[in-house]
Amino acid sequence: MLNIFRSSRSNILVWILLGLLIVALTGFGLSGSVSGLSSQNVARVGDEGVESDTFLRALQNEVSRIQQQTGQPIGMAQAQEFGLDRAVLSTLVGLAALDNQTAELGLSVGDTAVREAVLAMPQFASGTGFSQEQYTFALSNQGLTPKEFETDLRKGLTREVLRQSLVSGTEVPAAVIDRILDFSGETRSFSYVALTPDTLSTAPQPPTDAQIQA
């Protein structure tokens, strides 16, 4: 029971830290708007931008996902009514905030990690394993080049490094947990005495001028 409590406290603290990080970076560097799709970026967090192509692709993917779940077609006007555009943009801004932070910290995964991640993805495999043709064809259907995909993949892997470092570095000490549990489980009592004029043996006298001055 105590271990579960400790794990829960640790996870909550991690996501609070991530939330504060995203809010702080977003408030510092967010600019642009969804309506300005003619520009290259629809939003910016620090030095990290959210490109219009990335936003539109993510929005289309979200619309497609919901259409598959509901079996009903959804137009872009309906997507805006449902707030999908704002939800997608909010997600991308959060990712951009993390990317900006990893860049400031100088974090990045190497080419080997990116290559291994690509080779492990089943959507790029044929009957004999990884297929370069399948890889290029699948990315082309999404409007991506291998360079664009691998750049996004590298950022995602780097974000995971940051997340793992936060998770492993914010474990609440056992002594603190014990103190919290002890405090929460304590019972307290108190006694009081009501003092009234009748309680006093002599009536209080008004203070003298010297007493007031002192």
Side-chain angles (χ1 to χ4, degrees), residues 3 10 26 40 66 74-75 83 94 103 109 129-130 156 178-179 201 211:
N3 290 334
S10 178
T26 301
Q40 183 178 2
I66 294 179
I74 298 177
V109 298
F130 176 79
D178 292 338
R179 292 292 293 173
S201 58
Q211 289 174 323

Side-chain angles (χ1 to χ4, degrees), residues 66-79:
I66 294 179
Q67 286 181 157
Q68 291 178 353
Q69 288 182 344
T70 62
Q72 300 293 328
I74 298 177
M76 283 300 172
Q78 286 180 300

Side-chain angles (χ1 to χ4, degrees), residues 197-203:
D198 296 336
T199 308
L200 303 177
S201 58
T202 58

Side-chain angles (χ1 to χ4, degrees), residues 1-213:
M1 179 66 179
L2 182 58
N3 290 334
I4 294 175
F5 181 81
R6 290 173 179 164
S7 176
S8 175
R9 286 272 179 171
S10 178
N11 290 336
I12 290 172
L13 181 57
V14 168
W15 290 116
I16 289 175
L17 290 174
L18 282 174
L20 291 175
L21 169 65
I22 292 172
V23 170
L25 290 173
T26 301
F28 175 77
L30 179 60
S31 63
S33 64
V34 180
S35 60
L37 293 181
S38 59
S39 63
Q40 183 178 2
N41 294 322
V42 296
R44 178 170 291 279
V45 182
D47 295 329
E48 194 69 28
V50 178
E51 296 183 353
S52 58
D53 289 344
T54 301
F55 168 72
L56 289 174
R57 185 164 52 248
L59 180 58
Q60 289 168 351
N61 290 340
E62 182 65 12
V63 169
S64 298
R65 184 185 67 83
I66 294 179
Q67 286 181 157
Q68 291 178 353
Q69 288 182 344
T70 62
Q72 300 293 328
I74 298 177
M76 283 300 172
Q78 286 180 300
Q80 290 181 327
E81 290 180 4
F82 296 155
L84 295 182
D85 56 336
R86 296 183 294 277
V88 168
L89 182 59
S90 177
T91 298
L92 294 177
V93 165
L95 296 178
L98 292 175
D99 291 339
N100 184 74
Q101 183 67 10
T102 57
E104 289 185 355
L105 295 172
L107 293 178
S108 182
V109 298
D111 294 340
T112 301
V114 175
R115 180 177 183 275
E116 290 176 350
V118 171
L119 295 178
M121 293 182 177
Q123 61 267 39
F124 303 139
S126 63
T128 57
F130 176 79
S131 169
Q132 183 65 43
E133 292 183 358
Q134 179 66 19
Y135 178 56
T136 305
F137 177 75
L139 294 183
S140 178
N141 283 343
Q142 299 180 41
L144 290 170
T145 65
K147 181 178 180 180
E148 291 171 335
F149 175 76
E150 289 162 16
T151 297
D152 290 341
L153 179 59
R154 189 187 305 274
K155 289 181 178 180
L157 293 173
T158 305
R159 287 194 296 267
E160 181 62 17
V161 171
L162 178 62
R163 189 190 72 82
Q164 290 291 345
S165 67
L166 289 173
V167 170
S168 61
T170 56
E171 182 177 354
V172 181
V176 174
I177 295 296
D178 292 338
R179 292 292 293 173
I180 292 174
L181 290 175
D182 290 342
F183 180 81
S184 300
E186 286 178 350
T187 58
R188 300 167 181 84
S189 62
F190 64 93
S191 301
Y192 70 95
V193 176
L195 297 178
T196 66
D198 296 336
T199 308
L200 303 177
S201 58
T202 58
Q205 300 297 317
T208 65
D209 291 341
Q211 289 174 323
I212 293 177
Q213 183 64 32

